[in-house]
Amino acid sequence: MAGQAQTPRRHQTWPIVVGSALLILAVALTVNYLLTSGPASLMTAKRFYDTASQGRYQKAYSEFHALLQDQQSFEEFQRLASSHSSWFEAAYREWATTEDGDLATVEGKITTTDGELLVARFRLQREKQGWRITGYSIISGDGTAIQAGAVP
């Protein structure tokens, strides 16, 4: 045996590769959960804001309760939202939610990409198909607002 050449041991790196891949997957899943979790009423308000920011006003309007749609037509909402489109270009958003049975209030502090500070308030009601917005207001620092329905 002394005269035989020994084959060098291969480095077994596959456990390190698999472990690293699992760690990356766990981190990605955790970040996704933290970004998409929250009360359903909050998710409705965020979905409204996000779709409006993409210029998808019909989709944003579909988050309105039927009574709010009776108070504000799609055309009026689209006109207001498009004339204040920079308000939906958020660089930072902070949300707070209060739910009381079938009613909820969501308040957001928003900094636009232009640096403008806004306060957004949504009143929501739970229905069979989910939460619907019954009132909203988005107010800039100078008091300019777009709003409809009753907001506390």
Side-chain angles (χ1 to χ4, degrees):
M1 301 253 175
Q4 292 181 342
Q6 292 186 356
T7 309
R9 285 184 84 195
R10 288 188 183 180
H11 294 283
Q12 294 188 350
T13 58
W14 68 269
I16 294 171
V17 171
V18 170
S20 297
L22 289 174
L23 178 63
I24 291 169
L25 178 62
V27 169
L29 289 173
T30 301
V31 167
N32 183 54
Y33 173 77
L34 292 174
L35 292 176
T36 60
S37 66
S41 58
L42 172 60
M43 300 313 294
T44 299
K46 284 181 166 183
R47 193 169 44 249
F48 165 83
Y49 209 87
D50 290 342
T51 55
S53 74
Q54 298 163 4
R56 297 170 51 209
Y57 300 123
Q58 186 65 51
K59 177 71 175 160
Y61 188 77
S62 73
E63 301 293 345
F64 286 3
H65 189 281
L67 294 174
L68 183 57
Q69 290 180 353
D70 288 344
Q71 292 176 18
Q72 185 176 52
S73 69
F74 169 70
E75 292 76 17
E76 181 182 359
F77 167 71
Q78 183 179 25
R79 182 184 59 75
L80 287 170
S82 62
S83 67
H84 294 87
S85 62
S86 66
W87 288 10
F88 295 98
E89 297 170 8
Y92 176 77
R93 295 181 291 187
E94 179 181 319
W95 299 98
T97 306
T98 305
E99 289 185 3
D100 184 14
D102 289 340
L103 298 176
T105 302
V106 175
E107 183 169 317
K109 295 179 182 176
I110 299 156
T111 303
T112 68
T113 54
D114 296 336
E116 189 170 4
L117 300 176
L118 307 170
V119 174
R121 289 188 182 91
F122 299 90
R123 185 72 171 159
L124 298 100
Q125 181 175 341
R126 185 185 349 241
E127 296 187 330
K128 290 178 187 175
Q129 69 270 26
W131 289 91
R132 292 289 175 248
I133 298 170
T134 59
Y136 74 94
S137 68
I138 304 172
I139 304 169
S140 70
D142 68 3
T144 304
I146 60 173
Q147 58 191 24
V151 181

